[in-house]
Amino acid sequence: MAANASHNALTTIEKLEGISNWISWKFAIKMLLNLDGLYNCLEGTDTDPTRDARALARICLSIQPNLYQLVRDAKTASDAWKRLSDTFEDKGLYRRVLLLRQLHRIEFNNFSSMSDYIEGVMKLVAQLSDIGKVIDDAEIAEILLSGLPEDFNVLVSSLETASLTKTLSSEVVRTRLLQEDHRRNNNGNTSENLAYAANNKRRFKNLVCTYCRKSNHTIKQCFKRKT
């Protein structure tokens, strides 16, 4: 049963293509090895040859064929992992500055939805964490709020007031933003329905039945004519 689950998980993982999807692939393959109980093979602390061979196979089968050259001679899972990390894990100053710049300039208006905006912020935070730059949770909360347009100022003010008594966490901010987005979307739908109803009311008000000479209906809808 566990073997089937592992096989199914492996087939759904996007194969490593290079630096473009290294971060997401690294997370996925770690979760897969955790599922198999093989994660310690990455660290080299599990020296059982059978288990290590399975972990090595999982890694090699989850990368694109053009990358096989990087791991073809790897003898252990930790060796293959190190080779891939050394190739695609960019921990240099330029990479760190680039990600920090993107994080502090991110804006809600550049995304199609609130959930996409939040995901964009958290993805950059995760990428920075992977290269050794950990962003404080309170700062993440501030970044989420600073990227919002002015029509969210009331929400920002209310959260600012709440932060006077306790530290504002990014989880609280994310929850409030999603709630506010849901409220606005629902209000928008309600307004559209009310506008549609008002238009219909005006349209029927201008109708005059040619049979009974009364308003708000047509001759086809006339009750007197039907009787």
Side-chain angles (χ1 to χ4, degrees), residues 187-210:
N187 283 350
N189 292 335
T190 301
S191 299
E192 290 176 4
N193 292 336
L194 290 174
Y196 178 76
N199 287 334
N200 276 345
K201 184 176 181 180
R202 286 193 295 270
R203 181 166 60 87
F204 281 108
K205 185 177 181 180
N206 295 328
L207 293 177
V208 177
C209 176
T210 57

mmCIF file of all heavy atoms in Angstrom, residues 187-210:
data_model
loop_
_atom_site.group_PDB
_atom_site.id
_atom_site.type_symbol
_atom_site.label_atom_id
_atom_site.label_comp_id
_atom_site.label_asym_id
_atom_site.label_seq_id
_atom_site.Cartn_x
_atom_site.Cartn_y
_atom_site.Cartn_z
ATOM 1 N N ASN A 187 -20.063 41.008 -1.573
ATOM 2 C CA ASN A 187 -20.768 42.282 -1.677
ATOM 3 C C ASN A 187 -20.928 42.702 -3.122
ATOM 4 O O ASN A 187 -21.942 43.273 -3.518
ATOM 5 C CB ASN A 187 -20.013 43.371 -0.909
ATOM 6 C CG ASN A 187 -20.220 43.255 0.587
ATOM 7 O OD1 ASN A 187 -21.060 42.488 1.033
ATOM 8 N ND2 ASN A 187 -19.449 44.001 1.358
ATOM 9 N N GLY A 188 -19.914 42.396 -3.919
ATOM 10 C CA GLY A 188 -19.984 42.724 -5.337
ATOM 11 C C GLY A 188 -21.095 41.969 -6.019
ATOM 12 O O GLY A 188 -21.860 42.521 -6.811
ATOM 13 N N ASN A 189 -21.229 40.689 -5.694
ATOM 14 C CA ASN A 189 -22.297 39.880 -6.284
ATOM 15 C C ASN A 189 -23.666 40.371 -5.849
ATOM 16 O O ASN A 189 -24.614 40.405 -6.623
ATOM 17 C CB ASN A 189 -22.120 38.409 -5.881
ATOM 18 C CG ASN A 189 -20.882 37.795 -6.520
ATOM 19 O OD1 ASN A 189 -20.432 38.260 -7.561
ATOM 20 N ND2 ASN A 189 -20.337 36.770 -5.893
ATOM 21 N N THR A 190 -23.771 40.764 -4.557
ATOM 22 C CA THR A 190 -25.045 41.264 -4.044
ATOM 23 C C THR A 190 -25.437 42.550 -4.755
ATOM 24 O O THR A 190 -26.593 42.748 -5.129
ATOM 25 C CB THR A 190 -24.941 41.517 -2.529
ATOM 26 O OG1 THR A 190 -24.593 40.297 -1.882
ATOM 27 C CG2 THR A 190 -26.263 42.018 -1.979
ATOM 28 N N SER A 191 -24.466 43.427 -4.962
ATOM 29 C CA SER A 191 -24.746 44.693 -5.641
ATOM 30 C C SER A 191 -25.213 44.458 -7.069
ATOM 31 O O SER A 191 -26.120 45.128 -7.560
ATOM 32 C CB SER A 191 -23.479 45.560 -5.646
ATOM 33 O OG SER A 191 -23.078 45.852 -4.326
ATOM 34 N N GLU A 192 -24.595 43.495 -7.737
ATOM 35 C CA GLU A 192 -24.989 43.180 -9.105
ATOM 36 C C GLU A 192 -26.418 42.660 -9.152
ATOM 37 O O GLU A 192 -27.201 43.013 -10.040
ATOM 38 C CB GLU A 192 -24.032 42.144 -9.691
ATOM 39 C CG GLU A 192 -22.636 42.701 -9.962
ATOM 40 C CD GLU A 192 -21.689 41.624 -10.453
ATOM 41 O OE1 GLU A 192 -22.162 40.482 -10.648
ATOM 42 O OE2 GLU A 192 -20.506 41.926 -10.643
ATOM 43 N N ASN A 193 -26.764 41.815 -8.182
ATOM 44 C CA ASN A 193 -28.126 41.269 -8.140
ATOM 45 C C ASN A 193 -29.159 42.363 -7.890
ATOM 46 O O ASN A 193 -30.232 42.372 -8.493
ATOM 47 C CB ASN A 193 -28.230 40.195 -7.050
ATOM 48 C CG ASN A 193 -27.427 38.951 -7.404
ATOM 49 O OD1 ASN A 193 -27.170 38.696 -8.579
ATOM 50 N ND2 ASN A 193 -27.038 38.184 -6.402
ATOM 51 N N LEU A 194 -28.822 43.294 -6.979
ATOM 52 C CA LEU A 194 -29.745 44.387 -6.686
ATOM 53 C C LEU A 194 -29.919 45.294 -7.901
ATOM 54 O O LEU A 194 -31.026 45.765 -8.189
ATOM 55 C CB LEU A 194 -29.225 45.198 -5.490
ATOM 56 C CG LEU A 194 -29.274 44.494 -4.128
ATOM 57 C CD1 LEU A 194 -28.594 45.349 -3.066
ATOM 58 C CD2 LEU A 194 -30.721 44.200 -3.725
ATOM 59 N N ALA A 195 -28.825 45.546 -8.598
ATOM 60 C CA ALA A 195 -28.895 46.391 -9.787
ATOM 61 C C ALA A 195 -29.747 45.736 -10.866
ATOM 62 O O ALA A 195 -30.539 46.395 -11.550
ATOM 63 C CB ALA A 195 -27.487 46.667 -10.313
ATOM 64 N N TYR A 196 -29.581 44.420 -11.010
ATOM 65 C CA TYR A 196 -30.368 43.682 -12.010
ATOM 66 C C TYR A 196 -31.858 43.741 -11.667
ATOM 67 O O TYR A 196 -32.706 43.957 -12.541
ATOM 68 C CB TYR A 196 -29.892 42.233 -12.046
ATOM 69 C CG TYR A 196 -30.661 41.359 -13.011
ATOM 70 C CD1 TYR A 196 -30.431 41.441 -14.382
ATOM 71 C CD2 TYR A 196 -31.618 40.455 -12.542
ATOM 72 C CE1 TYR A 196 -31.134 40.642 -15.266
ATOM 73 C CE2 TYR A 196 -32.325 39.656 -13.421
ATOM 74 C CZ TYR A 196 -32.077 39.749 -14.786
ATOM 75 O OH TYR A 196 -32.777 38.956 -15.659
ATOM 76 N N ALA A 197 -32.161 43.571 -10.380
ATOM 77 C CA ALA A 197 -33.559 43.613 -9.949
ATOM 78 C C ALA A 197 -34.157 45.002 -10.173
ATOM 79 O O ALA A 197 -35.306 45.142 -10.600
ATOM 80 C CB ALA A 197 -33.659 43.228 -8.475
ATOM 81 N N ALA A 198 -33.368 46.040 -9.889
ATOM 82 C CA ALA A 198 -33.847 47.410 -10.079
ATOM 83 C C ALA A 198 -34.109 47.704 -11.550
ATOM 84 O O ALA A 198 -35.101 48.351 -11.903
ATOM 85 C CB ALA A 198 -32.824 48.396 -9.513
ATOM 86 N N ASN A 199 -33.238 47.221 -12.409
ATOM 87 C CA ASN A 199 -33.423 47.425 -13.847
ATOM 88 C C ASN A 199 -34.684 46.733 -14.345
ATOM 89 O O ASN A 199 -35.432 47.273 -15.168
ATOM 90 C CB ASN A 199 -32.207 46.901 -14.619
ATOM 91 C CG ASN A 199 -31.000 47.804 -14.444
ATOM 92 O OD1 ASN A 199 -31.150 48.997 -14.178
ATOM 93 N ND2 ASN A 199 -29.811 47.242 -14.588
ATOM 94 N N ASN A 200 -34.912 45.521 -13.841
ATOM 95 C CA ASN A 200 -36.117 44.791 -14.234
ATOM 96 C C ASN A 200 -37.376 45.522 -13.777
ATOM 97 O O ASN A 200 -38.385 45.575 -14.488
ATOM 98 C CB ASN A 200 -36.100 43.378 -13.634
ATOM 99 C CG ASN A 200 -35.300 42.421 -14.496
ATOM 100 O OD1 ASN A 200 -35.008 42.726 -15.651
ATOM 101 N ND2 ASN A 200 -34.941 41.276 -13.947
ATOM 102 N N LYS A 201 -37.301 46.074 -12.563
ATOM 103 C CA LYS A 201 -38.463 46.786 -12.021
ATOM 104 C C LYS A 201 -38.799 48.000 -12.878
ATOM 105 O O LYS A 201 -39.963 48.272 -13.183
ATOM 106 C CB LYS A 201 -38.172 47.214 -10.580
ATOM 107 C CG LYS A 201 -39.359 47.867 -9.896
ATOM 108 C CD LYS A 201 -39.037 48.168 -8.443
ATOM 109 C CE LYS A 201 -40.236 48.800 -7.746
ATOM 110 N NZ LYS A 201 -39.927 49.100 -6.321
ATOM 111 N N ARG A 202 -37.749 48.737 -13.276
ATOM 112 C CA ARG A 202 -37.972 49.907 -14.129
ATOM 113 C C ARG A 202 -38.514 49.497 -15.496
ATOM 114 O O ARG A 202 -39.374 50.161 -16.074
ATOM 115 C CB ARG A 202 -36.661 50.686 -14.283
ATOM 116 C CG ARG A 202 -36.265 51.484 -13.044
ATOM 117 C CD ARG A 202 -35.152 52.464 -13.373
ATOM 118 N NE ARG A 202 -33.930 51.782 -13.759
ATOM 119 C CZ ARG A 202 -32.987 51.422 -12.900
ATOM 120 N NH1 ARG A 202 -33.138 51.673 -11.604
ATOM 121 N NH2 ARG A 202 -31.898 50.812 -13.318
ATOM 122 N N ARG A 203 -38.014 48.377 -16.008
ATOM 123 C CA ARG A 203 -38.445 47.923 -17.333
ATOM 124 C C ARG A 203 -39.927 47.556 -17.329
ATOM 125 O O ARG A 203 -40.690 47.924 -18.229
ATOM 126 C CB ARG A 203 -37.598 46.724 -17.758
ATOM 127 C CG ARG A 203 -37.950 46.185 -19.132
ATOM 128 C CD ARG A 203 -36.854 45.254 -19.614
ATOM 129 N NE ARG A 203 -36.672 44.117 -18.732
ATOM 130 C CZ ARG A 203 -37.377 42.993 -18.841
ATOM 131 N NH1 ARG A 203 -38.326 42.885 -19.756
ATOM 132 N NH2 ARG A 203 -37.151 41.989 -18.019
ATOM 133 N N PHE A 204 -40.366 46.830 -16.295
ATOM 134 C CA PHE A 204 -41.773 46.428 -16.234
ATOM 135 C C PHE A 204 -42.693 47.600 -15.903
ATOM 136 O O PHE A 204 -43.861 47.610 -16.274
ATOM 137 C CB PHE A 204 -41.959 45.308 -15.197
ATOM 138 C CG PHE A 204 -41.541 43.963 -15.702
ATOM 139 C CD1 PHE A 204 -40.394 43.352 -15.231
ATOM 140 C CD2 PHE A 204 -42.286 43.308 -16.673
ATOM 141 C CE1 PHE A 204 -40.003 42.120 -15.705
ATOM 142 C CE2 PHE A 204 -41.902 42.063 -17.151
ATOM 143 C CZ PHE A 204 -40.753 41.468 -16.668
ATOM 144 N N LYS A 205 -42.130 48.596 -15.207
ATOM 145 C CA LYS A 205 -42.939 49.759 -14.848
ATOM 146 C C LYS A 205 -43.370 50.526 -16.096
ATOM 147 O O LYS A 205 -44.438 51.142 -16.142
ATOM 148 C CB LYS A 205 -42.139 50.666 -13.911
ATOM 149 C CG LYS A 205 -42.938 51.854 -13.383
ATOM 150 C CD LYS A 205 -42.103 52.652 -12.407
ATOM 151 C CE LYS A 205 -42.905 53.825 -11.852
ATOM 152 N NZ LYS A 205 -42.105 54.614 -10.894
ATOM 153 N N ASN A 206 -42.559 50.478 -17.125
ATOM 154 C CA ASN A 206 -42.856 51.210 -18.362
ATOM 155 C C ASN A 206 -43.761 50.428 -19.312
ATOM 156 O O ASN A 206 -44.163 50.945 -20.348
ATOM 157 C CB ASN A 206 -41.550 51.559 -19.086
ATOM 158 C CG ASN A 206 -40.704 52.529 -18.271
ATOM 159 O OD1 ASN A 206 -41.251 53.354 -17.547
ATOM 160 N ND2 ASN A 206 -39.385 52.422 -18.395
ATOM 161 N N LEU A 207 -44.076 49.176 -18.964
ATOM 162 C CA LEU A 207 -44.940 48.369 -19.822
ATOM 163 C C LEU A 207 -46.413 48.714 -19.585
ATOM 164 O O LEU A 207 -46.831 48.952 -18.454
ATOM 165 C CB LEU A 207 -44.715 46.878 -19.544
ATOM 166 C CG LEU A 207 -43.346 46.303 -19.939
ATOM 167 C CD1 LEU A 207 -43.274 44.839 -19.524
ATOM 168 C CD2 LEU A 207 -43.112 46.433 -21.435
ATOM 169 N N VAL A 208 -47.198 48.715 -20.669
ATOM 170 C CA VAL A 208 -48.642 48.955 -20.565
ATOM 171 C C VAL A 208 -49.364 47.898 -21.389
ATOM 172 O O VAL A 208 -49.055 47.690 -22.566
ATOM 173 C CB VAL A 208 -49.025 50.359 -21.080
ATOM 174 C CG1 VAL A 208 -50.550 50.535 -21.029
ATOM 175 C CG2 VAL A 208 -48.336 51.427 -20.266
ATOM 176 N N CYS A 209 -50.303 47.211 -20.753
ATOM 177 C CA CYS A 209 -51.064 46.162 -21.429
ATOM 178 C C CYS A 209 -52.052 46.797 -22.419
ATOM 179 O O CYS A 209 -52.820 47.695 -22.045
ATOM 180 C CB CYS A 209 -51.814 45.324 -20.402
ATOM 181 S SG CYS A 209 -52.875 44.063 -21.145
ATOM 182 N N THR A 210 -52.050 46.333 -23.644
ATOM 183 C CA THR A 210 -52.947 46.883 -24.670
ATOM 184 C C THR A 210 -54.369 46.351 -24.538
ATOM 185 O O THR A 210 -55.283 46.824 -25.214
ATOM 186 C CB THR A 210 -52.410 46.539 -26.075
ATOM 187 O OG1 THR A 210 -52.275 45.120 -26.185
ATOM 188 C CG2 THR A 210 -51.066 47.197 -26.321
#
